[in-house]
Amino acid sequence: MAVLFHCPYCGTKVRDNESYCIKCGKQLPEDVHNRLTKPARSKKIWFLPLIIFALLSLSIGFLHLFLENQTAQAKDLYSNAEKKASEGNYKKAKTLFEEALKQKENFPQASNAIEFMDIAMQVQNNLDNAAKYLAKQEYQKALQHIAETDSTLKNYNGSVVKKLINEIVLMKNTIKTDQLKNQLEEEPSIDQLKILLWEAESIESSEAEKITTNIRNQIINYTYSKASKQLNKLHFSDAEILVKDGLVYAPDSKKLNSLQTAIDNERVAFETAQQRRIESAISKAEEERKQNKNDAVKLESVKLQENKQDKLVVKGKVKSVATIPINTILVEYDLLTKNGDKFKANEVYVFPDTLYPNETGEFEFTHFDITGKAKELKVKVSKIKWYTE
């Protein structure tokens, strides 16, 4: 078996008769026994994997630090972009989101935010256009721009989305309120007022609530006046139809509910009186005479004034001085000129319908056919009638 000799410095194979290594050039040991192992080469092979591992670890460390730094910058940019978006500066926010995406390519939140900023800018543009049309009182065009944004934000959420939705709702309510005020200035009919009432009730704002109350009061006063006229003609069914229709729009109106009770009482009284006339005309005449002489009601006050529509309004109070409850109190009055000439006569019922001893009731009637004459006329109560239970 042949013996292999190696250079003790680099591990290269050498011959036993060589004095120098053909690779590293160093002088070989004269003792051939020192040429039997490869210490230098074995040492290098031992350290080589450690060196490679160290270099890889260092490279990975630097790469990790680099990526961490990029991620941190991307997060800072994203945070600043969110702040700009919350301030309504969507264009600047989009730019910052794009810079964040450049710092960190795998950043889906930034990609989604960029897409949403385009939508937000479109919404803001629609709001701006709606405001321009509102300023020109072109309400339908303004509402059309608002309508285009209704479905745009349905797939998104968050504080910016909530802010945009609030702005959309506010603009829509502002447009509808301004349109409503414009329509009311044109003195709409009672049927138009009923439609406008529903529109006013659908608007969520304090100003719309005031408009709703004003419209409802107009409907109440109109219904009361028309129904009272029918009731005075003994057209009970027509009066009841009018009151029930008015109660659809003002179910809590004490004035209309009281008139409804008055209609029922008058109908019963009329039917009873008619039956009594058949039975005994003389007895009925005597009963009415005694009743007319009974001083059961005292007039407390009566005055003329004008409402916001410049319509003439008669208001007053009466007090029961009876010892038993009385109901369906009817006040008859005349409108007189300054010279004392009769201008118009009318009747109005007191509410509440029933007055107990020493209780006070009120009456009010709006003359929709008389405008701007409160200072030219005066009111005089000519008669007060009532029924006892």
Side-chain angles (χ1 to χ4, degrees):
M1 181 177 178
V3 179
L4 298 177
F5 297 99
H6 298 83
C7 173
Y9 304 109
C10 67
T12 305
K13 292 180 181 180
V14 296
R15 298 176 181 177
D16 59 348
N17 60 351
E18 290 179 331
S19 299
Y20 293 92
C21 176
I22 61 174
K23 185 175 183 180
C24 67
K26 292 184 179 181
Q27 187 177 0
L28 298 171
E30 294 181 1
D31 188 350
V32 293
H33 292 89
N34 292 331
R35 304 182 187 184
L36 295 176
T37 60
K38 301 185 286 184
R41 186 172 183 182
S42 297
K43 189 175 180 181
K44 289 182 179 179
I45 293 173
W46 173 261
F47 282 104
L48 185 60
L50 294 176
I51 294 172
I52 293 173
F53 178 76
L55 290 174
L56 285 174
S57 298
L58 188 61
S59 299
I60 292 171
F62 278 120
L63 179 60
H64 178 73
L65 289 174
F66 176 74
L67 293 176
E68 283 290 325
N69 182 57
Q70 281 193 315
T71 300
Q73 291 182 4
K75 288 182 177 180
D76 287 341
L77 288 167
Y78 188 89
S79 178
N80 290 333
E82 285 186 317
K83 184 178 180 182
K84 291 297 181 183
S86 66
E87 295 171 354
N89 192 346
Y90 307 118
K91 185 176 182 180
K92 180 62 177 178
K94 180 182 178 181
T95 301
L96 292 173
F97 282 130
E98 290 173 340
E99 292 179 7
L101 191 60
K102 289 179 182 178
Q103 292 292 327
K104 183 182 178 183
E105 293 184 0
N106 186 18
F107 202 166
Q109 295 92 334
S111 298
N112 294 335
I114 292 171
E115 179 183 344
F116 178 69
M117 286 304 101
D118 289 331
I119 294 174
M121 285 189 284
Q122 181 60 46
V123 170
Q124 187 61 59
N125 184 59
N126 286 337
L127 288 171
D128 293 340
N129 288 332
K132 292 178 182 178
Y133 283 115
L134 174 60
K136 295 187 289 185
Q137 294 186 341
E138 296 182 27
Y139 304 112
Q140 294 306 315
K141 290 183 179 180
L143 289 172
Q144 182 179 352
H145 280 280
I146 293 298
E148 292 174 1
T149 66
D150 284 344
S151 60
T152 307
L153 302 173
K154 64 180 181 180
N155 295 325
Y156 298 90
N157 53 40
S159 59
V160 177
V161 177
K162 186 176 181 181
K163 175 177 178 292
L164 284 171
I165 291 175
N166 289 338
E167 290 179 2
I168 291 171
V169 172
L170 178 61
M171 177 59 72
K172 185 185 294 184
N173 288 339
T174 301
I175 294 169
K176 288 186 175 181
T177 301
D178 199 74
Q179 183 182 31
L180 194 60
K181 290 163 65 178
N182 183 267
Q183 290 172 321
L184 288 173
E185 289 176 358
E186 297 176 0
E187 296 187 0
S189 66
I190 187 64
D191 291 330
Q192 291 172 328
L193 279 175
K194 292 173 182 178
I195 296 173
L196 293 178
L197 177 64
W198 301 131
E199 294 180 4
E201 288 182 328
S202 68
I203 304 172
E204 297 180 359
S205 70
S206 57
E207 187 173 11
E209 288 180 4
K210 294 178 182 178
I211 294 174
T212 300
T213 301
N214 177 267
I215 295 174
R216 184 173 284 112
N217 286 337
Q218 289 188 55
I219 293 173
I220 291 171
N221 292 333
Y222 178 89
T223 302
Y224 188 89
S225 297
K226 292 296 182 181
S228 295
K229 287 183 178 179
Q230 294 300 319
L231 181 58
N232 293 336
K233 297 176 183 178
L234 303 180
H235 297 166
F236 305 112
S237 296
D238 293 339
E240 187 173 40
I241 290 172
L242 285 168
V243 171
K244 286 184 175 180
D245 181 68
L247 287 171
V248 171
Y249 304 94
D252 299 325
S253 171
K254 292 182 179 180
K255 193 172 180 179
L256 293 183
N257 280 296
S258 179
L259 184 57
Q260 177 64 63
T261 303
I263 292 170
D264 294 337
N265 290 337
E266 281 284 14
R267 179 189 281 114
V268 172
F270 177 79
E271 293 172 352
T272 302
Q274 203 165 20
Q275 182 65 31
R276 287 178 179 176
R277 287 192 196 95
I278 295 173
E279 294 174 354
S280 178
I282 298 175
S283 177
K284 179 60 181 178
E286 182 65 18
E287 180 183 345
E288 289 181 352
R289 186 186 66 79
K290 291 179 180 180
Q291 186 180 30
N292 290 335
K293 288 184 177 181
N294 188 5
D295 190 17
V297 178
K298 178 182 178 182
L299 178 66
E300 292 284 289
S301 64
V302 62
K303 61 181 179 179
L304 288 177
Q305 62 183 46
E306 293 177 358
N307 61 16
K308 293 182 179 180
Q309 289 74 42
D310 296 326
K311 305 301 181 184
L312 190 68
V313 180
V314 176
K315 297 180 70 175
K317 292 182 180 180
V318 296
K319 182 178 180 181
S320 172
V321 293
T323 58
I324 59 173
I326 58 175
N327 60 75
T328 316
I329 304 169
L330 180 66
V331 177
E332 298 179 2
Y333 63 88
D334 295 325
L335 296 177
L336 306 175
T337 65
K338 291 183 178 180
N339 296 327
D341 297 326
K342 182 182 293 187
F343 178 79
K344 189 179 184 67
N346 196 35
E347 299 174 343
V348 62
Y349 286 92
V350 173
F351 57 93
D353 176 71
T354 301
L355 292 183
Y356 291 88
N358 296 319
E359 278 193 343
T360 300
E362 299 178 13
F363 57 91
E364 180 179 340
F365 189 91
T366 302
H367 289 269
F368 284 86
D369 55 346
I370 303 176
T371 303
K373 290 191 175 183
K375 295 181 179 180
E376 301 176 11
L377 301 173
K378 58 183 178 179
V379 60
K380 180 181 179 182
V381 174
S382 58
K383 186 184 294 185
I384 301 177
K385 296 192 298 184
W386 61 91
Y387 291 100
T388 59
E389 295 183 349

